[in-house]
Amino acid sequence: MSTPLTYKNAGVDIELGNELVDNYKDIVSSTFNPAVLNPLGGFCSLYDLSHYNLKQPVLVSSTDGVGTKLRLALQWNNHKGVGIDLVAMCVNDLLVTGAKPLFFLDYYASGKLDKTITLEVVQSIATGCKIAGMALVGGETAEMPGMYHNKDYDLAGFCVGAVEKSEIVNGSDITVGDTLIAIASSGVHSNGYSLVRKILESKPALEDDNLDGRSIKDILLTPTKIYSQCMQALHQAKLLKGAAHITGGGITENVPRFIPKTFAAKINTGSWDLPPVFDWIKTHAQLSLDDLRITYNCGVGMVVCVAKENAQQALTLLAQHHENAWIIGEMVENTQGAQVIYTHE
């Protein structure tokens, strides 16, 4: 039996305990909102966009998976957070456009379906959807013995949101002097686990490590943070000029995805302390700091750009949503060719 896992998202402790809901439909339908027009069991799902009164609605979509973090969930028989990871990896990408998450679909495939594991995963996906404020309207659960070994499984997710066409966030109004704000990650999130697994395979005793009073197993299986509430609040306050979800590639590769080519992000690495788990990875994988930064989020789950004069307002709003956020840098002219410049001040 896997152990309970407590997950903090936007200041709320979510207990992912051992109690399971026996009825799959009850789990999924608990995420529904008035825009969901039909119950589960049909060939497709119907969702009423008119519920949101958008004048020129633009649909925004994203798809992703959890990656090899699933191997650790299987190895340690703890599947209570991977569904949150799945939702987070999809919805956080969607949020950077200013979109409101609407609904989610999942794909779950296993060599041999195990009821306990399946319900844990589905319950976790539903929990993630509730945190994100969207409906889990359906999905596919497949038993594929020729493709997966025994209880091994894989997950994929599909997220759809909507944004008013005139309010799409795309970085087009970014200027020199704008402030960059970091929003803390909850840990490693869902990238770089192939390397983590190599560390543990080469040094099995490290599974018993503790960092700051927490087991390394608990730390590594902590779900990816979902930034739905705070990102929508920034957008609704008309503060958001651009944003990057910091996934594989780290700050180095993800921040340039939202800034104009003529600008660069000047990042002050002295503005935050590297969380212990990343120092643990760096030490045991013998990574350089540059390699660490290009592989992991290093404690930063989201970077947002706001006008300099709005920086304090943005920080106050983020604090109200129980997010750990700080000024990480500013926009400068791109005179060096690189769109991310690291300094230490």
Side-chain angles (χ1 to χ4, degrees):
M1 178 67 68
S2 58
T3 57
L5 175 67
T6 299
Y7 170 61
K8 184 179 286 294
N9 196 94
V12 178
D13 287 323
I14 300 164
E15 182 71 22
L16 307 174
N18 291 321
E19 293 299 320
L20 294 174
V21 179
D22 289 330
N23 192 321
Y24 179 98
K25 289 186 177 181
D26 286 345
I27 298 174
V28 177
S29 61
S30 70
T31 70
F32 284 6
N33 57 50
V36 180
L37 298 184
N38 62 326
L40 289 174
F43 287 100
C44 58
S45 301
L46 303 176
Y47 199 90
D48 185 5
L49 272 181
S50 67
H51 180 74
Y52 298 96
N53 298 316
L54 296 172
K55 296 178 181 178
Q56 289 185 292
V58 173
L59 291 179
V60 184
S61 60
S62 177
T63 184
D64 211 329
V66 181
T68 60
K69 187 175 185 178
L70 292 177
R71 293 302 321 167
L72 294 184
L74 283 159
Q75 182 178 332
W76 297 332
N77 192 29
N78 192 338
H79 313 271
K80 299 181 186 303
V82 295
I84 296 175
D85 282 306
L86 180 66
V87 173
M89 293 301 289
C90 297
V91 76
N92 288 341
D93 281 353
L94 181 148
L95 292 168
V96 302
T97 66
K100 175 180 177 55
L102 301 179
F103 59 85
F104 190 85
L105 298 100
D106 67 272
Y107 177 80
Y108 177 99
S110 177
K112 180 178 177 59
L113 290 174
D114 179 283
K115 181 181 178 181
T116 299
I117 294 175
T118 301
L119 286 174
E120 284 183 351
V121 172
V122 173
Q123 181 69 73
S124 180
I125 294 171
T127 299
C129 286
K130 289 177 181 178
I131 296 170
M134 60 183 173
L136 174 58
V137 296
E140 168 71 2
T141 301
E143 190 171 60
M144 303 170 65
M147 292 292 292
Y148 300 95
H149 181 67
N150 291 334
K151 296 180 182 180
D152 286 359
Y153 66 91
D154 197 11
L155 290 173
F158 311 88
C159 180
V160 175
V163 62
E164 193 74 71
K165 187 175 183 179
S166 62
E167 297 177 2
I168 295 173
V169 176
N170 57 18
S172 60
D173 59 346
I174 287 175
T175 62
V176 170
D178 284 345
T179 297
L180 296 171
I181 294 174
I183 311 176
S185 68
S186 57
V188 183
H189 284 184
S190 298
N191 296 103
Y193 275 84
S194 293
L195 180 56
V196 168
R197 287 173 49 241
K198 285 183 179 180
I199 293 172
L200 294 171
E201 287 169 3
S202 64
K203 302 175 182 178
L206 292 177
E207 284 192 10
D208 297 323
D209 275 7
N210 283 272
L211 302 177
D212 289 344
R214 295 178 64 201
S215 73
I216 195 66
K217 291 181 180 180
D218 182 44
I219 291 169
L220 291 175
L221 287 184
T222 297
T224 306
K225 177 167 279 194
I226 294 173
Y227 298 93
S228 186
Q229 295 181 28
C230 67
M231 289 295 288
Q232 288 183 80
L234 288 172
H235 184 250
Q236 291 166 6
K238 301 188 182 304
L239 299 175
L240 196 61
K241 285 190 166 190
H245 177 205
I246 308 304
T247 54
I251 290 173
T252 306
E253 292 186 353
N254 284 291
V255 167
R257 296 170 69 178
F258 80 87
I259 62 178
K261 297 294 184 183
T262 54
F263 300 130
K266 184 179 178 182
I267 302 294
N268 176 17
T269 60
S271 64
W272 82 102
D273 294 326
L274 190 70
V277 66
F278 297 104
D279 191 53
W280 183 90
I281 293 170
K282 178 178 178 293
T283 298
H284 293 295
Q286 297 182 328
L287 293 179
S288 68
L289 194 53
D290 285 342
D291 285 340
L292 188 75
R293 287 173 180 159
I294 207 169
T295 308
Y296 295 95
N297 67 63
C298 295
V300 179
M302 192 76 74
V303 173
V304 301
C305 180
V306 301
K308 184 176 182 178
E309 62 270 20
N310 293 335
Q312 189 53 57
Q313 182 183 354
L315 288 171
T316 298
L317 188 152
L318 289 166
Q320 290 171 351
H321 283 81
H322 309 285
E323 298 291 354
N324 176 19
W326 65 94
I327 294 175
I328 195 174
E330 63 177 336
M331 297 303 305
V332 298
E333 291 184 3
N334 184 356
T335 60
Q336 302 180 24
Q339 283 200 280
V340 174
I341 303 166
Y342 290 108
T343 64
H344 190 85
E345 301 172 8

